[in-house]
Amino acid sequence: MKKRSSKKEGNSQYRMMILAGFIVIFTFLSILVILTMDALEESQPQEVLVRDPERIENGIHLRTGLKAGEGMEAVIRHCTPCHSASLVTQNRMDAAGWESTIRWMQETQNLWDLGEDHELVVRYLTREYPVESKGRRQALKNIEWYSLDGQNP
Ligand code: HEC
């Protein structure tokens, strides 16, 4: 009889240990799942934008793709109601080019008068989306050309 009960005690201790083990593993896995879901949510741009539509990351306004800088809000206000901001970000122009694009839209596409924002908008566009001067090297200047006379008789 005595033997039996001690065997029973051993069994229930064993069960308690297994139960405790399960609880520890379960808690650990739950924390892992919660952390993973948080990380996933952060990494989905849509979720981030729903929570913070005006978020700027690495100098880019995520919702529109415009470069952050003075005048960006005015550009969002005036330049994104009709078409996507990518029409802006895909273009490179100097001040005269942006001026004439704006004038063209005002004359033919019902773009309104930008009023006191006009200068701000043109300055932003010219600063952030200028003509790219890369590509061809500068023309050579002040070169002393040598004469080929006499070399090709
Ligand atoms: C009232 C509507 C409207 C607003 C506001 C507007 N645009 Fe446009 N924009 C247009 C239309 C329409 C087009 C032509 C789209 C097409 O070609 O399909 C256009 C085209 C453009 C183009 C391309 C031009 C080309 O040569 O193809 C650029 C760049 C542009 N817009 C910039 C801007 C900027 C910068 C602003 C803010 C100052 C702005 N838009 C605000 C209507 C608008």
Side-chain angles (χ1 to χ4, degrees):
M1 270 303 215
K2 244 189 176 179
K3 246 187 179 175
R4 244 191 173 176
S5 83
S6 83
K7 196 183 175 191
K8 242 187 185 171
E9 237 169 57
N11 260 349
S12 78
Q13 261 181 357
Y14 185 59
R15 273 199 216 107
M16 287 296 278
M17 266 165 63
I18 291 181
L19 191 66
F22 270 125
I23 289 172
V24 168
I25 291 172
F26 180 76
T27 313
F28 181 73
L29 284 181
S30 311
I31 292 173
L32 205 70
V33 166
I34 290 170
L35 288 180
T36 317
M37 284 186 23
D38 257 15
L40 274 180
E41 208 172 275
E42 270 296 306
S43 71
Q44 283 179 347
Q46 284 317 110
E47 287 291 334
V48 171
L49 286 181
V50 167
R51 268 186 280 141
D52 182 7
E54 303 309 319
R55 178 126 152 183
I56 289 169
E57 250 172 42
N58 302 320
I60 299 293
H61 183 252
L62 293 184
R63 183 167 57 82
T64 58
L66 287 167
K67 292 186 195 171
E70 193 204 352
M72 186 194 73
E73 287 81 9
V75 168
I76 293 174
R77 207 161 46 244
H78 292 296
C79 307
T80 59
C82 296
H83 50 65
S84 142
S86 63
L87 266 187
V88 175
T89 60
Q90 283 164 4
N91 271 286
R92 297 288 181 276
M93 296 178 223
D94 57 11
W98 283 113
E99 279 284 359
S100 77
T101 303
I102 290 173
R103 203 170 328 115
W104 168 77
M105 276 179 294
Q106 285 169 332
E107 282 163 9
T108 63
Q109 312 295 338
N110 292 327
L111 173 59
W112 45 86
D113 185 353
L114 303 184
E116 57 183 15
D117 285 338
H118 188 98
E119 285 305 312
L120 184 64
V121 165
V122 172
R123 225 182 315 129
Y124 168 88
L125 294 169
T126 314
R127 188 183 66 238
E128 304 296 346
Y129 302 99
V131 181
E132 271 158 318
S133 52
K134 286 184 216 132
R136 202 176 180 282
R137 63 167 172 78
Q138 296 270 299
L140 299 174
K141 282 181 215 146
N142 303 326
I143 304 291
E144 282 184 35
W145 300 101
Y146 51 81
S147 165
L148 293 175
D149 280 357
Q151 290 196 3
N152 292 314

